[in-house]
């Protein structure tokens, strides 16, 4: 690929050109020059956009695409297009497919789908066989085939000894173990946060205690075993405090929060709208405040769209029976800009690749070009017209968002609006 990107403000703390407006000359996929007013003697294609900003390519650690097995929800091909036009050059693909991604063969299948693609797919292999929580899956073989972590998506590891063994075993090859933070016997059949709102609506509650007990248990196990633990999508203030204390002990733990858990409270459920039925459930404003503070001070390592396309039949039913989940790739950038500064937003979308063993591509001469192009200015109301996924189950419908994504240039190809 040979192109000249014109007048782009670089947002990349790893680049010497950070916070400056530059032209970027790309030849054979590598950045050959950066400077203002660069000539174009070879008449390369020029990339120009209004108020163009550019950063390292964005990464989302928790994305579900459906294929194989649930292509009616989303195909990998359309998922790649959705990720690209939402600004993501890399995504961690969850194991909740059919069959479950629990072997090196399944990992290789997912990897093969991103060959010659502008978006890199990084499989997150199941921690246990068929995600049943009984026997460990082929962790080492999956790691060698390209799995970046091990996670029974949204499923609790009920047996603490199984998690203990997983942490001990995976430490031999640097594997990252993920444990969904919910104690099922405490959560029971709760469908939303246990609070005054659940009582007033007559819906069964899932208390914050269910998450916090599991987080505490997992951190005790990590302290005993060593290894690397990632706790995906925490949602309570106490979880933030527990993880902060664990990090003070130098435990090798990281955590994420779903973007919608930084925006909506359990009061959003007053109309029984199943778009807001997610897991972990939407909590209180006090929890949101603690989560945001945790993101800013580094206790919460990363954010995720927790993109999970679902059939309309799974959402357009009674609230108690509706499935949990929302799509989120398309709204991720705009929602984060409503909460955080531009620099913090870009940091959250780029700087956590290392935890998953993914190298960064700083905007420096000689580096491969892997970038996201965007405009941080302007607002719009998110609507069906903005949805790129096959499924339309978005929690952000009719919500005001900020900024616009132009697309990506990566792996010697581009997807631009």
């Amino acid at each position: 690929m040979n192109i000249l990107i014109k007048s782009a403000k670089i947002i990349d703390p790893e680049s010497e050109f950070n916070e400056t407006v530059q032209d970027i000359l790309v030849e054979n996929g590598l950045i050959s020059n950066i400077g203002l007013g660069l000539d174009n003697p070879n008449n390369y294609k020029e990339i120009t956009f209004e108020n163009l900003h550019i950063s390292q390519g964005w990464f989302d650690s928790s994305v579900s695409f459906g294929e194989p097995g649930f292509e009616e929800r989303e195909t990998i091909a359309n998922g790649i297009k959705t990720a690209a036009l939402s600004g993501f050059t890399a995504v961690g693909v969850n194991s909740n497919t059919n069959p479950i991604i629990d072997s090196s063969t399944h990992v290789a299948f997912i990897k093969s789908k991103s060959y010659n693609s502008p978006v890199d797919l990084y499989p997150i292999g199941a921690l246990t066989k068929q995600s049943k929580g009984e026997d460990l899956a082929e962790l080492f073989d999956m790691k060698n085939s390209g799995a970046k972590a091990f996670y029974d998506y949204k499923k609790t590891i009920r047996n603490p000894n199984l998690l203990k063994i997983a942490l001990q075993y995976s430490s031999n090859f640097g594997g990252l173990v993920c444990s969904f933070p919910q104690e099922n016997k405490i959560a029971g059949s709760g469908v939303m946060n246990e609070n005054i709102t659940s009582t007033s609506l007559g819906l069964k509650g899932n208390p914050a205690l269910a998450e916090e007990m599991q987080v505490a248990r997992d951190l005790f196990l990590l302290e005993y075993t060593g290894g690397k633990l990632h706790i995906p999508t925490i949602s309570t203030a106490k979880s933030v405090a527990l993880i902060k204390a664990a990090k003070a002990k130098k435990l090798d733990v990281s955590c994420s929060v779903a973007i919608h858990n930084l925006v909506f409270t359990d009061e959003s459920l007053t109309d029984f709208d199943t778009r807001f039925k997610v897991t972990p459930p939407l909590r209180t404003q006090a929890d949101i405040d603690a989560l945001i503070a945790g993101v800013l001070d580094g206790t919460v390592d990363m954010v995720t769209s927790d993109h999970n396309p679902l059939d309309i039949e799974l959402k357009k039913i009674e609230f108690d029976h509706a499935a949990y989940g929302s799509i989120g790739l398309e709204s991720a950038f705009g929602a984060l800009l409503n909460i955080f500064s531009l620099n913090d937003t870009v940091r959250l979308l780029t700087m956590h690749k290392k935890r998953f063993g993914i190298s960064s591509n700083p905007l420096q001469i000689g580096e491969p070009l892997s970038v996201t192009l965007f405009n941080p200015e302007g607002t719009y109301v998110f609507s069906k017209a903005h949805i790129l996924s096959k499924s339309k189950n978005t929690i952000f419908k009719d919500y005001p968002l900020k900024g616009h994504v132009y697309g990506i240039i990566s792996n010697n190809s581009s997807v631009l609006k």
Side-chain angles (χ1 to χ4, degrees), residues 185-312:
K185 290 186 178 179
I186 297 293
S189 55
V191 295
M192 67 171 294
N193 183 48
E194 183 177 270
N195 193 24
I196 188 171
T197 305
S198 62
T199 302
S200 65
L201 294 176
L203 293 174
K204 293 181 180 178
N206 177 348
L209 177 66
E211 174 175 309
E212 294 153 6
M213 283 184 64
Q214 197 78 356
V215 169
R217 184 205 75 170
D218 292 354
L219 292 174
F220 272 119
L221 287 168
L222 178 65
E223 188 171 10
Y224 178 80
T225 62
K228 295 165 60 178
L229 177 67
H230 179 68
I231 303 176
T233 58
I234 65 170
S235 67
T236 79
K238 186 63 179 292
S239 292
V240 176
L242 288 167
I243 292 167
K244 187 171 187 175
K247 288 187 172 186
K249 294 180 181 179
K250 307 300 182 184
L251 299 187
D252 194 352
V253 61
S254 58
C255 66
S256 67
V257 59
I259 295 170
H260 49 253
N261 281 101
L262 298 173
V263 177
F264 301 103
T265 69
D266 54 4
E267 294 179 359
S268 301
L269 294 164
T270 52
D271 292 330
F272 299 93
D273 190 333
T274 59
R275 291 185 297 114
F276 296 95
K277 187 177 181 183
V278 292
T279 182
L282 304 176
R283 303 290 187 183
T284 67
Q285 188 60 51
D287 291 309
I288 288 178
D289 293 343
L291 288 163
I292 291 174
V295 168
L296 291 173
D297 70 16
T299 301
V300 179
D301 302 85
M302 61 195 78
V303 298
T304 172
S305 69
D306 206 18
H307 183 80
N308 189 12
L310 295 170
D311 316 347
I312 189 171

Side-chain angles (χ1 to χ4, degrees), residues 65-76 98 109 390:
F65 279 157
E67 185 182 353
F70 300 113
E71 287 84 355
E72 71 278 9
R73 302 178 187 177
E74 187 64 284
T75 62
I76 289 178
N98 186 19
F109 170 79
K390 285 182 67 176

